[in-house]
Amino acid sequence: MPKTHLKQVILCCLLISGIFMGMAQQPSNTTTTYLIPYIQQLEGDFDVKFSYVDEDLRPIIINIPQSKDLDKILRQIQDETQLIIKKLSDRYYTLSKSNLVDICAFVLDNYAENTVTGATVEVIGSSIATITDLDGSFSLSNIPRKASIRIKHLGYKTRYITAEDLVNQNPCTPILLGVRYQQLEEVVVFKFLTSGLTKELDASILLNTKEFGILPGLTEPDVLHTVQALPGIKSIDETVSDINIRGGTNDQNLILWDGIKMYQNGHFFGLISAFNPYLTDEVRIIKNGTSAAYGEGLSGIIDMRTKNTVEAEYFGGAGFNLISGDIYGHTPLSDNLAIQFSARRSVTDFLNTPTYDQFFERTFQDTDVVDRDANFYFYDFTAKILYDYNDNQKLRLSFININNNLDYTETSGDSGRTNQSSLDQTNLSFGGTLESNWSEKFTSLINGYYTRYDLDSRISTNDAAQVLSQNNEVIETSLKLNTNYIISDQLDWLNGYQFTEVGITNFTDVSQPPFNNSTKGVVRTHAVFSELGYLSPNLKFRAKGGARINHVENLNTFSEVLVEPRLNLNYTFSNHYRLEILGELKHQSTNQIIDLEQNFLGIEKRRWMLSDSPSGTRQQNALPITRSKQVSMGINYDKDSWYASLEGFYKEVDGISTATQGFQNQDQFNGEIGNYDVKGVEFLINHKSRSFSSWLSYTYNVNDYTFEDINPTNFPNNLDIRHNVTFASTYTYNKVKLGVGLNYRTGKPYTEPQRAPNSINTTVFPNTINFQAPNSSRLSDYLRADASATYDFDISPGIRASAGASVLNLLNKKNILNTYYRINDQGEIEKVENISLGLTPNVSFRISF
């Protein structure tokens, strides 16, 4: 390169460098500094003195004013910092914090790329609130300096910040809101049988009562009647207090209400559910593949949850039918505190209706009663307090009280003698939960409860010649901790611990002949559980596997450790087909002993008892821990308006006693220990559209007992229903809903006496019946048709109403639910048949607001 050109280049570089150096030495219009050093500089420049508290001014940063006039400089500082500046004299000034400030800010997403419009900005503890403008900005005046500001918007994490941090600056302070991500479970079927019923990815069934449509025979979403519409779930005696899931007894079901175990679940001796459906938000039904977080429930789980959100507006409703009336409501007390309540009471003690008459006949049927007088009523009450400390800490307190009360007098048609009976059945429970979101990946749930069940009965027979008093009391307390950690998008990890203590007391007193017996036991269970969940990146494969380790201790007799693995696999192998493989091991230490069928006419003959022996015990009259194992495999098909499922299962329950199974033959009192196994297939096909749904379900079961000390050792289970078919349709047109259905099943087994003259054993006192082989006979087939209709309409813009009518057993068919035999006062064998409900109409009317 020529030297002249080189000199020119060097000269240009030096010139440019000089220009940039000169620019760098010029003060920037946006230069900031801490306030205290700056006012110290002003003291020297203008020969003034400022008085202030260092702690008030130390954290404050200001934009350096460009003015050379002291008054203008001080006005800028005052506007920018919200400080109060007072001039005491020509030389002395004071600076102090104001208790009230003006604030402003811009709300952006966490990438600072998009403004958040319509976000709610609230001054906590006051009525001051606003929303962000189209550009995401907001401003408020005269706000306490230390006030907490809450900024929230749907889809974003709530942000808390103090007013002092948002003092009106130019430009206003930017605030970033983090996007709230929530992993949602995939739903396999949206509309399952009727609206509000969905089948979820883990094979459980979810009932949403708010979206519930209609089922044949029901005008209201009675929870425990609704679950019986599902394949594999029925009540052989038409009650909600004796639900049989895959051939199991009712005491082998775990029924939870807001996480509290319930020992009573019905009114009118099981004909009506005891839980208000209008505050019940969702019900989860699990038949197999249970999470390791659940204990007990050998046959199935019915997990009810009431509404769990603090709503800003009040809502409620009331209604009545021919059995009872009820009211419920949700009342917000503040923006983070609300209370819910519900109450129901029967009208049966002062009003006779056709529905009540049918229920009464079904409950108190007896062959020789010609005159009776009954004073019967029931009620239930629930309350719930919902408190959101913040979006990440939520406290819930729940309470429920269920009561049945009966005074009953009957006169025998044969002897003319009078029997008097009284019964008081109560379930009182309360509990609480604390939900905590510690981060986007880690959450915890603490649940504790106390539940108390009491059954007090008194029976005076033969004109008070004999008085029988019985009491059954259950007290259970439990504390449970669940934690869940999201390891990655594909993995989550559930861990937890649960402590449960159950105490059960049974008391019996007979006046003639004199007899008194009282037993009390306590079982404590410590359980730890862990479970991993996996979801494949293509969302086609889902797996949950874990185990629950239980240390079960009866304080009087035994201690045992039980390990229970759980497995739940779900794989979508085409666009419309899904495969499920489920398995579980479970145990339980509470059982219901069934007393003599003659006790209290059979209407409430069950008593809760605790296991007094470890699992595997075969000693007669013992009550070992009952254990179960179950596996199942199913295929689901879902395309357009068609859904079909086919599932096969095998379940074995070991450690059952004849005392818990309701035998009414030669094995009624012996207390032998054995097991039962169920092999079955459940099939469902459902066609659905916007206004129409029709389904056919079929269940095939083979349910057999094995008792080594009974001859023969193998025979049909008392709940062995081989074939069960349901066909139903629902139709919705505008605000009218219609439902019709047909239920058919084969008869249950029972035992007949031997033929005369060998039918009665007269060599013992009192005489006994000589029976044939256990469960060697069967009842006639069962057939029942039901129908229902509802009409929704608006009374006013804020008040909605619904009127409904239903008929159970539309054909008025006489179905025999049970047959047993006893020896009457004349020493003869008497055949007793329990008949189903006859034609039972009901009407209802409800309002909601």
Side-chain angles (χ1 to χ4, degrees):
M1 179 181 292
K3 290 185 178 180
T4 45
H5 289 177
L6 181 58
K7 290 180 180 180
Q8 291 173 355
V9 172
I10 293 174
L11 182 61
C12 289
C13 290
L14 292 174
L15 181 61
I16 293 172
S17 298
I19 292 173
F20 277 108
M21 290 177 65
M23 292 176 62
Q25 292 173 0
Q26 296 295 322
S28 170
N29 291 333
T30 59
T31 301
T32 59
T33 185
Y34 282 98
L35 180 57
I36 289 180
Y38 183 72
I39 61 175
Q40 289 173 348
Q41 177 183 335
L42 293 180
E43 287 178 331
D45 293 343
F46 294 96
D47 191 23
V48 293
K49 290 292 183 180
F50 294 97
S51 177
Y52 53 84
V53 177
D54 285 2
E55 287 74 11
D56 289 346
L57 273 60
R58 184 175 292 115
I60 299 178
I61 298 176
I62 63 168
N63 295 311
I64 297 177
Q66 301 303 308
S67 175
K68 299 300 182 182
D69 182 273
L70 180 61
D71 289 339
K72 292 182 178 180
I73 293 172
L74 296 180
R75 277 198 300 272
Q76 179 178 333
I77 293 174
Q78 184 169 274
D79 292 341
E80 189 173 323
T81 64
Q82 305 288 303
L83 293 171
I84 299 175
I85 302 178
K86 290 185 178 180
K87 184 177 182 181
L88 303 179
S89 65
D90 290 342
R91 191 167 180 236
Y92 291 96
Y93 295 82
T94 62
L95 286 81
S96 61
K97 278 189 173 182
S98 171
N99 289 330
L100 298 177
V101 295
D102 297 336
I103 62 174
C104 74
F106 283 93
V107 181
L108 308 170
D109 65 13
N110 57 348
Y111 299 105
E113 294 179 351
N114 301 303
T115 58
V116 180
T117 303
T120 302
V121 182
E122 303 169 280
V123 180
I124 296 178
S126 76
S127 59
I128 302 172
T130 186
I131 60 174
T132 55
D133 296 333
L134 293 176
D135 60 355
S137 66
F138 72 90
S139 61
L140 294 170
S141 300
N142 297 322
I143 304 302
R145 180 180 288 271
K146 296 297 183 181
S148 294
I149 309 299
R150 176 167 54 201
I151 306 169
K152 60 182 181 180
H153 190 282
L154 185 65
Y156 293 89
K157 295 180 180 178
T158 299
R159 178 79 182 271
Y160 294 86
I161 194 168
T162 60
E164 193 172 28
D165 297 329
L166 302 178
V167 169
N168 199 355
Q169 299 184 13
N170 188 19
C172 294
T173 307
I175 299 176
L176 304 183
L177 291 187
V179 177
R180 179 181 293 279
Y181 297 99
Q182 184 176 5
Q183 183 176 355
L184 300 177
E185 291 282 1
E186 179 185 349
V187 176
V188 179
V189 181
F190 170 68
K191 188 176 180 182
F192 181 76
L193 306 188
T194 188
S195 59
L197 276 172
T198 60
K199 185 168 184 180
E200 301 219 317
L201 195 61
D202 61 359
S204 65
I205 306 297
L206 193 66
L207 166 63
N208 185 321
T209 57
K210 183 179 180 180
E211 303 296 331
F212 181 77
I214 192 172
L215 286 175
L218 298 179
T219 60
E220 300 174 286
D222 186 297
V223 172
L224 299 183
H225 275 295
T226 301
V227 301
Q228 297 181 44
L230 304 173
I233 305 178
K234 296 294 177 184
S235 175
I236 293 178
D237 63 1
E238 296 185 329
T239 69
V240 298
S241 61
D242 195 8
I243 295 176
N244 314 118
I245 301 179
R246 288 184 171 174
T249 54
N250 181 77
D251 61 343
Q252 294 171 359
N253 301 328
L254 175 62
I255 298 180
L256 299 172
W257 181 84
D258 271 356
I260 305 171
K261 183 177 179 180
M262 305 304 297
Y263 283 89
Q264 179 185 352
N265 56 1
H267 287 311
F268 219 132
F269 307 103
L271 294 175
I272 304 169
S273 171
F275 306 104
N276 189 303
Y278 298 100
L279 284 179
T280 302
D281 190 35
E282 63 179 33
V283 182
R284 187 175 299 275
I285 302 103
I286 305 172
K287 293 185 284 186
N288 192 12
T290 311
S291 168
Y294 289 101
E296 299 200 336
L298 302 185
S299 288
I301 296 173
I302 302 174
D303 189 358
M304 294 171 280
R305 299 286 175 172
T306 58
K307 296 185 184 299
N308 205 43
T309 304
V310 178
E311 302 289 350
E313 301 293 333
Y314 171 83
F315 67 85
F320 68 87
N321 55 43
L322 297 185
I323 292 294
S324 63
D326 73 279
I327 187 172
Y328 72 95
H330 173 102
T331 304
L333 303 178
S334 68
D335 57 355
N336 63 344
L337 179 65
I339 185 171
Q340 295 175 358
F341 68 90
S342 72
R344 172 172 51 174
R345 193 191 188 281
S346 64
V347 299
T348 53
D349 53 336
F350 59 85
L351 180 64
N352 283 341
T353 65
T355 310
Y356 171 70
D357 289 340
Q358 287 295 328
F359 280 16
F360 192 94
E361 289 294 332
R362 163 68 181 83
T363 303
F364 299 99
Q365 56 184 285
D366 201 291
T367 55
D368 63 349
V369 176
V370 297
D371 185 33
R372 56 192 169 196
D373 180 26
N375 180 25
F376 171 75
Y377 68 89
F378 64 80
Y379 64 84
D380 57 72
F381 174 79
T382 71
K384 185 174 184 178
I385 297 174
L386 305 91
Y387 174 64
D388 293 348
Y389 179 75
N390 54 46
D391 276 4
N392 296 318
Q393 304 284 335
K394 298 182 179 181
L395 178 66
R396 304 291 185 259
L397 300 174
S398 302
F399 169 84
I400 185 170
N401 185 23
I402 303 170
N403 185 271
N404 286 287
N405 189 279
L406 170 70
D407 291 309
Y408 182 81
T409 302
E410 60 173 346
T411 301
S412 173
D414 295 333
S415 63
R417 290 183 301 206
T418 299
N419 299 333
Q420 292 182 324
S421 306
S422 63
L423 179 72
D424 187 20
Q425 188 180 32
T426 305
N427 197 116
L428 175 68
S429 306
F430 58 86
T433 60
L434 176 62
E435 303 176 34
S436 301
N437 295 324
W438 302 104
S439 69
E440 292 184 3
K441 294 188 174 183
F442 184 70
T443 60
S444 67
L445 174 67
I446 299 175
N447 170 247
Y449 66 81
Y450 167 91
T451 187
R452 177 172 178 167
Y453 169 80
D454 272 295
L455 176 67
D456 289 294
S457 64
R458 186 178 185 273
I459 306 173
S460 174
T461 61
N462 301 334
D463 295 320
Q466 182 187 66
V467 178
L468 168 65
S469 298
Q470 293 179 302
N471 171 261
N472 181 218
E473 179 187 70
V474 182
I475 297 178
E476 177 170 321
T477 55
S478 180
L479 181 65
K480 183 177 182 180
L481 169 65
N482 283 14
T483 65
N484 193 73
Y485 179 66
I486 300 176
I487 300 173
S488 67
D489 292 339
Q490 278 72 52
L491 281 175
D492 64 87
W493 189 16
L494 170 71
N495 291 281
Y497 164 79
Q498 183 173 9
F499 169 75
T500 304
E501 180 178 279
V502 187
I504 297 182
T505 301
N506 273 282
F507 171 78
T508 302
D509 182 81
V510 182
S511 61
Q512 287 294 332
F515 175 78
N516 182 285
N517 181 54
S518 179
T519 60
K520 182 176 182 179
V522 177
V523 168
R524 291 175 180 166
T525 303
H526 299 267
V528 293
F529 52 88
S530 184
E531 183 176 82
L532 275 174
Y534 172 76
L535 182 64
S536 64
N538 61 6
L539 306 181
K540 289 189 173 183
F541 178 65
R542 179 187 184 276
K544 277 193 175 182
R548 187 179 178 96
I549 303 175
N550 310 272
H551 177 249
V552 185
E553 179 184 19
N554 186 310
L555 300 187
N556 298 323
T557 56
F558 72 91
S559 177
E560 186 173 5
V561 175
L562 304 172
V563 179
E564 299 171 344
R566 312 283 172 85
L567 182 65
N568 190 311
L569 304 177
N570 198 293
Y571 178 65
T572 302
F573 56 88
S574 77
N575 292 333
H576 309 293
Y577 291 91
R578 186 179 301 274
L579 175 68
E580 299 169 350
I581 299 177
L582 312 172
E584 63 182 26
L585 266 67
K586 287 184 177 180
H587 85 284
Q588 68 180 52
S589 56
T590 54
N591 303 273
Q592 281 186 323
I593 294 293
I594 301 177
D595 289 338
L596 293 173
E597 282 295 331
Q598 293 90 331
N599 274 7
F600 219 84
L601 303 175
I603 59 175
E604 196 50 64
K605 57 190 176 292
R606 294 171 293 182
R607 304 289 184 269
W608 287 101
M609 295 284 287
L610 284 172
S611 296
D612 55 18
S613 305
S615 61
T617 300
R618 286 292 183 268
Q619 182 179 351
Q620 192 168 310
N621 289 319
L623 271 182
I625 290 180
T626 312
R627 302 196 66 181
S628 72
K629 54 186 176 182
Q630 182 179 188
V631 294
S632 63
M633 183 172 69
I635 296 178
N636 299 281
Y637 170 80
D638 184 23
K639 183 179 180 182
D640 300 329
S641 60
W642 288 95
Y643 171 79
S645 67
L646 179 65
E647 184 173 8
F649 69 91
Y650 173 80
K651 180 173 70 173
E652 182 178 328
V653 178
D654 186 54
I656 61 170
S657 167
T658 55
T660 67
Q661 299 298 300
F663 281 96
Q664 296 170 294
N665 52 30
Q666 64 270 36
D667 305 307
Q668 184 169 344
F669 309 105
N670 296 339
E672 289 89 350
I673 306 300
N675 67 275
Y676 72 84
D677 60 84
V678 189
K679 299 176 283 292
V681 175
E682 297 169 357
F683 171 75
L684 172 68
I685 184 167
N686 180 205
H687 179 264
K688 53 194 179 296
S689 63
R690 183 180 297 273
S691 58
F692 178 81
S693 181
S694 183
W695 65 91
L696 172 70
S697 69
Y698 169 71
T699 303
Y700 172 75
N701 281 347
V702 177
N703 191 349
D704 290 325
Y705 284 126
T706 299
F707 287 94
E708 297 298 335
D709 297 325
I710 294 178
N711 185 27
T713 57
N714 299 99
F715 53 93
N717 192 301
N718 294 333
L719 302 176
D720 179 41
I721 303 296
R722 293 293 170 92
H723 305 278
N724 199 317
V725 180
T726 298
F727 176 75
S729 293
T730 63
Y731 178 71
T732 302
Y733 178 74
N734 292 333
K735 297 182 178 181
V736 176
K737 299 175 183 176
L738 304 173
V740 293
L742 191 68
N743 295 280
Y744 165 83
R745 65 171 182 259
T746 52
K748 71 180 289 273
Y750 75 104
T751 308
E752 292 186 328
Q754 294 182 13
R755 297 185 182 276
N758 300 320
S759 56
I760 298 179
N761 182 3
T762 59
T763 62
V764 296
F765 181 83
N767 295 344
T768 60
I769 300 174
N770 291 323
F771 285 96
Q772 299 179 20
N775 290 345
S776 55
S777 300
R778 284 188 179 268
L779 299 176
S780 302
D781 293 351
Y782 176 98
L783 180 66
R784 193 179 87 180
D786 303 323
S788 56
T790 62
Y791 174 67
D792 301 329
F793 57 97
D794 294 333
I795 296 179
S796 68
I799 301 178
R800 300 171 301 279
S802 175
S806 66
V807 179
L808 297 173
N809 198 0
L810 186 65
L811 304 178
N812 198 25
K813 190 173 188 308
K814 182 181 177 181
N815 292 300
I816 300 175
L817 301 176
N818 190 29
T819 296
Y820 65 97
Y821 299 84
R822 63 190 180 192
I823 297 178
N824 61 21
D825 293 339
Q826 288 74 40
E828 300 171 341
I829 294 179
E830 180 183 29
K831 181 179 181 181
V832 180
E833 292 182 337
N834 294 136
I835 310 300
S836 67
L837 281 170
L839 189 148
T840 307
N842 200 357
V843 296
S844 64
F845 177 78
R846 303 201 60 82
I847 61 171
S848 59
F849 43 86

